[in-house]
Amino acid sequence: MKKITLLIAIFFTFFSFAEVSQAEKSVLISLYNSTNGSAWTTKWNLSQPVATWYGVAIENDKVIGLDLSNNNLKGTLPSDLGGLKNVRAINFFKNELTGEIPTSIGELNSLVSLNLSFNKLEGSIPESISKASNLVSLELFMNGLTGSIPNSISNLQKLELLSLYNNQLTGELPTAIYNLKSIKVLQLNSNKFSGILSPEVANLKNLESLVLFDNNLVGTIPFELERLSNLKEMNVSYNNFNGFVSRGLAEKDTFKMTMVNEQGVATTLSVYTEKDKAIVNEE
């Protein structure tokens, strides 16, 4: 009788913990330890089944989602985060994560949504992120990211939302940006991007929102933007653009095409309705 009772106890213990593999559980514990889990707002009881852990979504015995937004995560993301092979959504919005985005993020082939925004992440956007080819939403805004946007980002052909605003990103907008055929929302404002906005922006047929304000972009605003029939809103002000602009584009811009010239003086692109052209008037 004692033997049967023991076997039943072993069976139910195994069953209760069998919903997640040991490999995935190890990654979660690594995350807990590297982000000071004992100080989280809502903690995990590591002695309980993973299915009971706050913010962990499980389907068919696999971790498919992590939502630990606004949960006082402090520390770095573990290098083995890529071990969550089946995860579709990761949301670590509004915590105090530091360090760099681990390169293993590119191993998450099932990942559809990644939100690491409103943290204190540093370093560059890893090239490896382009391997997460099922990404639809990538949000890294309000961090301290530096460097340029990797050219390999063009591999993310399902991407609809790219939000990188309020970082320290530099360099020219790569040609790769204009190859994101599915992109609907492109938010690159409040960085240090330079160079021109290429006429190739017309390739982004599905674009609905274009936000580039507060950078160092130069040259003229491409009239090719007029071809984007889905474009509902844009903000390209507070750059160093000059020259002419169409009436239609001027009307879409949130700050009415307010620019900054080489002398640091605010300028506006005033529209001539007769010929649908504009010239720069210094204020």
Side-chain angles (χ1 to χ4, degrees):
M1 185 69 179
K2 287 184 179 180
K3 185 178 291 187
I4 294 174
T5 302
L6 180 61
L7 287 172
I8 291 173
I10 291 172
F11 171 77
F12 278 106
T13 300
F14 171 77
F15 181 79
S16 65
F17 282 90
E19 79 278 0
V20 170
S21 70
Q22 187 57 47
E24 288 194 328
K25 184 178 180 180
S26 294
V27 175
L28 294 177
I29 293 174
S30 179
L31 171 66
Y32 188 82
N33 291 331
S34 67
T35 59
N36 197 20
S38 61
W40 286 4
T41 303
T42 303
K43 306 171 184 61
W44 290 344
N45 185 339
L46 301 185
S47 65
Q48 293 297 312
V50 176
T52 68
W53 294 1
Y54 172 77
V56 180
I58 297 173
E59 182 179 277
N60 297 326
D61 301 338
K62 297 176 177 62
V63 176
I64 62 165
L66 271 180
D67 187 353
L68 297 171
S69 56
N70 200 19
N71 199 43
N72 199 38
L73 276 64
K74 294 183 178 181
T76 60
L77 292 173
S79 59
D80 59 352
L81 190 62
L84 298 176
K85 302 296 185 183
N86 303 285
V87 73
R88 301 173 198 162
I90 293 177
N91 186 358
F92 295 155
F93 171 76
K94 203 174 184 181
N95 283 289
E96 295 188 43
L97 296 172
T98 56
E100 299 187 358
I101 300 171
T103 57
S104 65
I105 209 84
E107 298 171 20
L108 302 177
N109 296 321
S110 298
L111 193 63
V112 173
S113 175
L114 177 63
N115 189 343
L116 304 180
S117 302
F118 218 121
N119 281 284
K120 299 177 181 179
L121 295 169
E122 300 175 334
S124 59
I125 300 170
E127 286 272 353
S128 61
I129 207 165
S130 63
K131 296 179 181 178
S133 57
N134 285 304
L135 269 175
V136 173
S137 176
L138 177 57
E139 298 176 272
L140 305 177
F141 62 84
M142 295 193 74
N143 278 291
L145 298 175
T146 55
S148 57
I149 298 174
N151 279 308
S152 57
I153 202 167
S154 62
N155 293 334
L156 302 180
Q157 286 298 301
K158 296 181 181 179
L159 200 63
E160 295 182 6
L161 168 62
L162 178 60
S163 188
L164 305 178
Y165 67 84
N166 278 88
N167 278 288
Q168 300 294 317
L169 297 169
T170 56
E172 298 185 4
L173 300 182
T175 302
I177 285 288
Y178 309 115
N179 292 326
L180 295 175
K181 301 299 174 62
S182 296
I183 201 77
K184 293 181 179 179
V185 178
L186 184 58
Q187 299 173 326
L188 305 179
N189 53 289
S190 301
N191 279 287
K192 298 180 180 180
F193 291 118
S194 57
I196 66 168
L197 176 61
S198 171
E200 291 183 75
V201 70
N203 294 338
L204 307 180
K205 303 296 185 184
N206 293 302
L207 193 64
E208 297 175 2
S209 177
L210 175 64
V211 188
L212 301 174
F213 77 87
D214 190 24
N215 278 292
N216 301 312
L217 299 173
V218 298
T220 58
I221 296 170
F223 281 88
E224 283 79 5
L225 281 169
E226 292 272 15
R227 301 177 188 171
L228 300 180
S229 58
N230 291 309
L231 189 64
K232 298 180 178 70
E233 60 179 8
M234 63 182 287
N235 191 340
V236 298
S237 289
Y238 293 99
N239 279 285
N240 305 127
F241 289 125
N242 55 47
F244 300 92
V245 68
S246 72
R247 179 177 56 232
L249 294 179
E251 289 174 350
K252 287 182 179 179
D253 189 72
T254 305
F255 291 124
K256 307 303 180 186
M257 298 293 178
T258 301
M259 304 298 163
V260 179
N261 66 16
E262 293 180 355
Q263 290 73 43
V265 178
T267 65
T268 56
L269 303 181
S270 300
V271 178
Y272 278 80
T273 57
E274 307 94 330
K275 297 183 179 180
D276 198 24
K277 292 182 180 180
I279 58 173
V280 175
N281 287 335
E282 291 192 359
E283 294 183 333

